[in-house]
Amino acid sequence: CEVATRLVENEELAQFLRGRGHQSGHVCNIPDIQWKDIPVANALLDSSHYMNPETLGYTIGDVPLDLEQIATAKSKTKEQVALELGSLWWRADQFYQRAVEGVRLAKGAEFPDKNHLKDIAHPYNQGIFEFIVNVSLLGHYVGDASMPYHNTIDYDGWEKGRGGIHAYYESFSVEAMGLDLENLIYEQSIVLKKKSGSLKVNLNQTVLEKLKELSIKAVEEKIKVEELDPLLTASDKVSKTYAKRLPPEKGAELFKDLILGQMARSSFALSVL
């Protein structure tokens, strides 16, 4: 999220976001921190972080973008589909639509006078708040889509003797990287931006199309993660014994290019959205 604030091309929006990168980065993390602790957290909320196409007989590339279509084809309710398949793409679209509504509210309101600049009830301020919060929450799910193990039912590697790979890849290896991580992601994002050519092509994609594209690419890279996994001892699914691996510092070294590429892909996609 923080990197994406530095990639936005619209000058007015870029200026608005320039001092809000850290704020956006914090809000981006909220679904994995505050929301995990609230009493209403449940399976339906958890399912918004992933896609498990295999549960309904799909490959990630075959999953329709219309939730209603899936429900009808599989004779299920939309809630059942969300619980079994996952609802990552549609959750992202939801936050995008909420961000857009915030912009509409602000655009339709008078700019606050000097007595209402910090009035949170003022329609303009409400709209701006809804925009920055929801576009940052959107970033969380755009990031999830680029993580290989958020796009498969074998989300923690147990089927292949790699139990524990999810946290090792997504958290421990990333935490073992240096403080220059954000700058490295930024540099990779600039490369992607140049390669993409016309931004018009990217802008014409819907949120759902863009999320699906990220998920497909992530699944393609899953085999590379497994090839690089510094496994010492395989996991045992029956006894729930986790796999043993070399320390995360080694994971950070081996996975660096993949992780940077995936994060850069999401950063650029978020900046376009």
Side-chain angles (χ1 to χ4, degrees), residues 203-250:
L203 289 169
N204 284 339
Q205 276 187 309
T206 66
V207 179
L208 295 173
E209 287 169 341
K210 196 172 293 294
L211 267 287
K212 183 172 184 176
E213 184 181 86
L214 292 173
S215 289
I216 290 171
K217 187 67 176 174
V219 169
E220 289 172 356
E221 292 178 343
K222 181 170 168 281
I223 190 167
K224 295 179 183 177
V225 177
E226 291 166 355
E227 287 172 355
L228 294 170
D229 185 12
L231 201 63
L232 296 174
T233 308
S235 59
D236 181 70
K237 188 178 177 182
V238 177
S239 64
K240 278 291 181 184
T241 303
Y242 283 97
K244 288 187 173 60
R245 296 178 167 83
L246 292 174
E249 288 74 17
K250 188 62 179 176

Side-chain angles (χ1 to χ4, degrees), residues 84-152:
E84 296 176 36
L85 176 70
S87 58
L88 170 58
W89 302 344
W90 297 279
R91 184 64 156 158
D93 189 56
Q94 179 187 39
F95 284 117
Y96 178 83
Q97 298 303 334
R98 290 177 63 161
V100 169
E101 284 305 313
V103 172
R104 286 185 181 139
L105 177 60
K107 278 191 169 186
E110 292 288 333
F111 190 83
D113 60 32
K114 64 180 182 179
N115 297 318
H116 295 89
L117 286 175
K118 295 186 178 181
D119 180 3
I120 61 174
H122 192 286
Y124 181 87
N125 292 336
Q126 281 185 339
I128 296 299
F129 177 84
E130 288 298 322
F131 166 73
I132 188 64
V133 167
N134 284 292
V135 83
S136 300
L137 290 170
L138 163 66
H140 182 97
Y141 299 92
V142 173
D144 278 349
S146 281
M147 200 289 212
Y149 292 95
H150 277 263
N151 292 284
T152 174

Side-chain angles (χ1 to χ4, degrees), residues 24-39:
S24 183
H26 170 69
V27 176
C28 204
N29 273 319
I30 282 176
D32 273 356
I33 43 179
Q34 281 97 330
W35 288 2
K36 295 286 187 181
D37 295 328
I38 57 176

Side-chain angles (χ1 to χ4, degrees), residues 5-203:
T5 65
R6 298 302 180 114
L7 297 170
V8 171
E9 289 195 338
N10 179 280
E11 192 51 45
E12 289 84 1
L13 182 55
Q15 187 176 352
F16 170 77
L17 292 171
R18 199 163 288 135
R20 293 174 170 85
H22 182 72
Q23 176 191 29
S24 183
H26 170 69
V27 176
C28 204
N29 273 319
I30 282 176
D32 273 356
I33 43 179
Q34 281 97 330
W35 288 2
K36 295 286 187 181
D37 295 328
I38 57 176
V40 296
N42 53 37
L44 196 60
L45 192 61
D46 289 341
S47 74
S48 66
H49 292 264
Y50 60 76
M51 296 292 291
N52 287 345
E54 303 94 330
T55 57
L56 294 184
Y58 293 114
T59 65
I60 196 72
D62 292 335
V63 179
L65 296 177
D66 188 333
L67 197 60
E68 196 82 56
Q69 178 186 339
I70 300 171
T72 300
K74 301 297 178 179
S75 300
K76 296 177 182 292
T77 65
K78 285 193 286 186
E79 183 170 316
Q80 286 172 326
V81 171
L83 285 167
E84 296 176 36
L85 176 70
S87 58
L88 170 58
W89 302 344
W90 297 279
R91 184 64 156 158
D93 189 56
Q94 179 187 39
F95 284 117
Y96 178 83
Q97 298 303 334
R98 290 177 63 161
V100 169
E101 284 305 313
V103 172
R104 286 185 181 139
L105 177 60
K107 278 191 169 186
E110 292 288 333
F111 190 83
D113 60 32
K114 64 180 182 179
N115 297 318
H116 295 89
L117 286 175
K118 295 186 178 181
D119 180 3
I120 61 174
H122 192 286
Y124 181 87
N125 292 336
Q126 281 185 339
I128 296 299
F129 177 84
E130 288 298 322
F131 166 73
I132 188 64
V133 167
N134 284 292
V135 83
S136 300
L137 290 170
L138 163 66
H140 182 97
Y141 299 92
V142 173
D144 278 349
S146 281
M147 200 289 212
Y149 292 95
H150 277 263
N151 292 284
T152 174
I153 192 170
D154 188 22
Y155 66 92
D156 205 16
W158 288 99
E159 299 302 322
K160 293 187 176 180
R162 299 183 184 277
I165 183 66
H166 194 120
Y168 184 82
Y169 183 76
E170 179 185 79
S171 298
F172 306 146
S173 294
V174 174
E175 288 158 8
M177 293 181 181
L179 290 173
D180 61 341
L181 179 61
E182 285 183 27
N183 195 52
L184 292 172
I185 296 167
Y186 174 73
E187 289 171 355
Q188 287 273 353
S189 301
I190 293 296
V191 172
L192 283 178
K193 196 172 182 179
K194 288 177 179 175
K195 281 184 179 177
S196 74
S198 172
L199 265 181
K200 190 175 180 182
V201 176
N202 291 283
L203 289 169

